Amino acid sequence: MNTRVLTQNGSPLHEVVRAEISRRIADGIYKPGDAIMSTAQLGEEFGVSSITVKRALRDLQSAGVLTSIPGKGTFVKDRRRFIREVDVCMSSQDDARRHGFDTKIELVSITKERITDPALGVFNVPSKVLLCVRKVIYADGVPIMYDSSYVPTHIADEIVDEFGELYIVDALRRHNVDIEDVSIIIDASPASADAQRIFSVPNGYPTLRRLYDIKSKDPAMFVIGIVESPFDRLACSVKLNSLQLSKMTKARK
Amino acid sequence: MNTRVLTQNGSPLHEVVRAEISRRIADGIYKPGDAIMSTAQLGEEFGVSSITVKRALRDLQSAGVLTSIPGKGTFVKDRRRFIREVDVCMSSQDDARRHGFDTKIELVSITKERITDPALGVFNVPSKVLLCVRKVIYADGVPIMYDSSYVPTHIADEIVDEFGELYIVDALRRHNVDIEDVSIIIDASPASADAQRIFSVPNGYPTLRRLYDIKSKDPAMFVIGIVESPFDRLACSVKLNSLQLSKMTKARK
DNA sequence: GAGTGGTCTAGACCACCCT
DNA sequence: GGGTGGTCTAGACCACTCC
């Protein structure tokens, strides 16, 4: 039949379909929140098999443009809730409020385990069993961060409890822990298995991660952890003023 | 035939296959640089169609674990060359050297165009036509950054030339441009079309981006731009010492 | 020519949602 | 029951590589 339509410009068919659907979204033909046509309809319109359409739609899901709900349809993701101005240092509740977000923290689990995530290997991680506090942070009801933090097992129970309810720096500050040094590494990564489930994103979905290593004056007290966020829900901002810049310039001479 | 093997634990077949291949890589059965078995062989071994195997392999490519070369085979990506300690502020040549990397800059193009990338909309971008300098930065022969920077069209030609050869802050410093303020936004994103081509990564591949807005004391001189890097080749690091931290704590009271 | 991965299709089945 | 997206397969073709 229509088998020989083929690849207008050398691109595979699924890319052509993907590009056309992207165009329609960019042009506002398909609007955020709306359902687009079914795979069968699109296949007929483009003269390709519905499987090829599905392939194109799946790629657009990986790109954060579409969401498919089995049995209902495929929808254009609404406004990319691009939360800016989140400070690069550990976020605090104040920080969030200052930017007008109603945040909520949900404790996922408190377990005893070793650090196994190879990503944290960039820090000098102890091989001992540590206390692992996992939690999800919501902004306006939407999950935006998945945090796993590791602390020594011997720390006071009251601090542990607060770790589940508070931002880390807030909890430490409350107990007058003297933070001496903070290393943060920011990177991107495909969503972890946990993140896929928590954020309802597909395999391979890009996420922004912050790996942190907080050292206090007491060598027995430290916090190591990792925060993961879907790329379309969070970004980090850094501001450098002229004072800092001149310092940097000098330091480099 | 083997049609009814099916989904050991409720997971789709392609996920089962993907997990098993991941396990073999983690266990060192498939080693970095090595070719894994062909899709046909894997399909036979697992009792699934080769198409399902291909699906699993494609997902592992999106995750940066495998690379397939048509006609040759599918290979385990060698050591994740995770370049750490790259400062969050604009990288300079010194910076790179200090970390032991032999970097090279390749000019891609110098064009006159407006800023159309919606990502840069977070800054207050002028709608005028600007000079756009695009370049690729290599470390040890591997492309690690794709930089697009926009500057006013009226700036001196000699600076423009150097933009193609130098890191941005290096070029500005050389011409004694007084940098007043730098805003940087770090986010993750699926690879752009350019990035896919330059870094040889598939559609949807997670990248780390740095969007920058450099303001000088002269309002007519500014640089706005965006740097994109594959997630497995670059990360940013931030270090905060106790002085900065105490300042922050005070500021928040 | 044999082997590889990439693409495309037709056809089937499933789980889910809505009416 | 009819629609939706998700999965899986068999079979076909292509471009590529290596021998």
Side-chain angles (χ1 to χ4, degrees):
Chain A
M1 318 280 255
N2 242 323
T3 313
R4 292 286 77 114
V5 179
L6 258 269
T7 100
Q8 356 194 81
N9 50 6
S11 307
L13 269 184
H14 65 85
E15 283 185 16
V16 177
V17 174
R18 167 156 47 93
E20 172 59 16
I21 295 174
S22 294
R23 193 191 62 76
R24 292 187 185 179
I25 293 169
D27 289 0
I29 301 175
Y30 298 149
K31 291 188 177 58
D34 284 2
I36 67 174
M37 293 185 292
S38 73
T39 53
Q41 284 175 313
L42 286 167
E44 197 172 351
E45 182 187 338
F46 294 138
V48 303
S49 116
S50 72
I51 296 181
T52 302
V53 174
K54 287 175 183 176
R55 162 73 190 269
L57 296 189
R58 196 158 63 81
D59 287 345
L60 287 172
Q61 289 180 54
S62 301
V65 175
L66 296 175
T67 316
S68 287
I69 304 176
K72 295 193 71 173
T74 300
F75 302 83
V76 181
K77 270 203 179 178
D78 28 341
R79 71 203 186 316
R80 305 180 134 236
R81 33 185 12 278
F82 203 83
I83 301 171
R84 288 174 289 118
E85 307 292 335
V86 171
D87 208 303
V88 105
C89 76
M90 281 300 78
S91 303
S92 70
Q93 190 92 33
D94 286 351
D95 237 0
R97 287 228 188 80
R98 200 180 318 142
H99 294 110
F101 287 105
D102 172 31
T103 68
K104 201 182 61 183
I105 299 184
E106 186 182 280
L107 182 64
V108 175
S109 67
I110 298 184
T111 56
K112 289 187 180 182
E113 50 183 277
R114 289 190 173 79
I115 294 180
T116 55
D117 190 334
L120 289 173
V122 296
F123 301 127
N124 192 12
V125 299
S127 56
K128 289 185 302 186
V129 171
L130 301 172
L131 215 62
C132 176
V133 181
R134 297 182 204 276
K135 57 200 176 198
V136 178
I137 291 100
Y138 296 79
D140 299 344
V142 180
I144 58 166
M145 303 189 214
Y146 174 54
D147 182 302
S148 307
S149 49
Y150 296 83
V151 293
T153 48
H154 60 70
I155 70 164
D157 283 343
E158 70 236 33
I159 305 193
V160 176
D161 286 347
E162 292 187 359
F163 268 22
E165 298 158 15
L166 294 176
Y167 285 87
I168 292 160
V169 285
D170 288 342
L172 294 178
R173 199 177 297 143
R174 225 152 107 163
H175 287 82
N176 296 315
V177 173
D178 266 338
I179 300 176
E180 184 167 72
D181 194 61
V182 178
S183 293
I184 300 173
I185 292 185
I186 306 173
D187 74 356
S189 174
S192 65
D194 281 346
Q196 289 175 42
R197 193 172 27 78
I198 290 166
F199 300 119
S200 306
V201 296
N203 181 260
Y205 201 79
T207 66
L208 185 70
R209 302 192 303 188
R210 281 83 70 218
L211 290 58
Y212 52 86
D213 182 6
I214 304 175
K215 287 184 170 60
S216 75
K217 297 222 160 71
D218 172 8
M221 180 59 203
F222 59 84
V223 187
I224 293 174
I226 180 166
V227 196
E228 195 172 358
S229 302
F231 80 95
D232 56 338
R233 299 194 200 157
L234 198 75
C236 291
S237 83
V238 188
K239 275 196 203 301
L240 304 174
N241 59 35
S242 53
L243 190 70
Q244 292 169 305
L245 286 165
S246 68
K247 257 188 212 159
M248 238 179 299
T249 310
K250 267 182 221 156
R252 276 195 183 129
K253 287 216 172 135
Chain B
M1 307 271 176
N2 242 323
T3 315
R4 291 288 77 113
V5 179
L6 258 272
T7 99
Q8 356 195 84
N9 50 7
S11 306
L13 269 184
H14 65 85
E15 284 186 17
V16 177
V17 174
R18 167 156 46 93
E20 172 60 15
I21 296 173
S22 294
R23 192 191 63 75
R24 292 186 184 179
I25 294 169
D27 289 0
I29 300 175
Y30 298 148
K31 291 188 177 55
D34 285 0
I36 66 175
M37 293 185 290
S38 74
T39 54
Q41 285 175 312
L42 286 167
E44 196 172 352
E45 182 188 338
F46 294 139
V48 303
S49 115
S50 72
I51 296 181
T52 302
V53 174
K54 287 175 183 175
R55 163 72 190 268
L57 296 188
R58 196 158 61 82
D59 288 345
L60 287 172
Q61 289 181 55
S62 301
V65 175
L66 296 176
T67 315
S68 288
I69 305 175
K72 296 193 72 174
T74 300
F75 301 83
V76 181
K77 271 202 178 177
D78 26 341
R79 70 196 189 316
R80 306 179 132 237
R81 32 185 11 280
F82 203 84
I83 301 169
R84 288 176 287 117
E85 307 292 336
V86 171
D87 210 301
V88 105
C89 75
M90 280 301 75
S91 305
S92 70
Q93 189 91 32
D94 286 351
D95 238 358
R97 287 228 189 79
R98 200 181 317 143
H99 294 109
F101 287 106
D102 172 30
T103 68
K104 201 183 61 184
I105 299 184
E106 187 182 279
L107 183 63
V108 175
S109 67
I110 298 183
T111 56
K112 288 187 181 183
E113 49 183 278
R114 289 191 172 78
I115 294 180
T116 55
D117 191 333
L120 289 173
V122 296
F123 301 128
N124 192 12
V125 299
S127 56
K128 290 183 303 187
V129 171
L130 302 172
L131 215 62
C132 177
V133 182
R134 297 183 204 274
K135 56 198 176 201
V136 179
I137 291 100
Y138 296 79
D140 299 343
V142 180
I144 58 166
M145 304 189 215
Y146 173 54
D147 183 302
S148 307
S149 49
Y150 296 84
V151 292
T153 49
H154 60 71
I155 69 166
D157 283 343
E158 70 236 32
I159 305 194
V160 176
D161 285 346
E162 293 188 358
F163 268 22
E165 299 158 15
L166 294 176
Y167 285 85
I168 292 160
V169 286
D170 288 342
L172 294 178
R173 198 176 299 145
R174 228 154 105 161
H175 287 82
N176 295 315
V177 173
D178 264 336
I179 299 176
E180 183 166 72
D181 194 62
V182 178
S183 293
I184 301 172
I185 292 185
I186 306 172
D187 74 356
S189 174
S192 65
D194 281 347
Q196 288 175 43
R197 192 171 28 76
I198 290 165
F199 301 119
S200 306
V201 296
N203 179 260
Y205 201 79
T207 66
L208 185 70
R209 301 193 304 189
R210 280 84 70 215
L211 289 59
Y212 51 87
D213 183 7
I214 304 175
K215 288 185 170 59
S216 75
K217 296 221 161 70
D218 172 7
M221 179 59 202
F222 59 85
V223 187
I224 293 174
I226 181 168
V227 197
E228 195 172 358
S229 302
F231 80 95
D232 57 335
R233 297 192 202 159
L234 198 75
C236 291
S237 83
V238 187
K239 275 196 201 301
L240 304 174
N241 59 33
S242 52
L243 190 71
Q244 292 170 304
L245 286 165
S246 69
K247 257 189 211 157
M248 241 180 296
T249 310
K250 268 182 220 156
R252 276 193 183 131
K253 287 220 170 131

